[in-house]
Amino acid sequence: MQSASWSGYAKLGHDKERLIKEYLSNIASIVGVVLPVAMGVGFTADYFVPLIYTDKWAATIPLIQILTVAGVLRLLLSNSGSVYAAIGAPHYITYL
């Protein structure tokens, strides 16, 4: 998604209001689809891991839940790098 949105952000780099609107629109679309799926995986890992993979895999449940939280946080920052590059402030990408 990042590379697909980069060209659009680059064209809007001079118009910060439109850039912000496009960024928020993209994030809303991503969050609206991916966030419920990710949260569903994290919240139901207790039930589905033993059901699908047997009890041998039960030790992976906490890891799945931690990775779900990390994935959601990464999701929220997913297009930030493209925006910073488009406005000529790529050093913020390093901070992220």
Side-chain angles (χ1 to χ4, degrees):
M1 182 67 181
Q2 227 173 343
S3 61
S5 60
W6 160 246
S7 61
Y9 292 151
K11 290 177 186 175
L12 297 174
H14 63 281
D15 188 356
K16 291 194 178 174
E17 281 187 36
R18 284 189 57 206
L19 180 64
I20 290 170
K21 286 180 185 178
E22 280 300 313
Y23 172 74
L24 292 176
S25 175
N26 284 343
I27 291 296
S29 298
I30 293 169
V31 169
V33 173
V34 178
L35 185 65
V37 172
M39 297 306 289
V41 168
F43 287 134
T44 60
D46 290 337
Y47 305 107
F48 284 108
V49 169
L51 180 69
I52 296 172
Y53 298 110
T54 72
D55 290 330
K56 291 181 183 180
W57 289 88
T60 63
I61 294 171
L63 179 62
I64 291 170
Q65 293 168 334
I66 290 169
L67 289 174
T68 298
V69 172
V72 167
L73 292 175
R74 179 67 183 120
L75 169 72
L76 296 175
L77 296 173
S78 63
N79 281 327
S80 301
S82 296
V83 172
Y84 289 132
I87 63 171
H91 58 280
Y92 287 122
I93 300 170
T94 305
Y95 300 143
L96 290 176

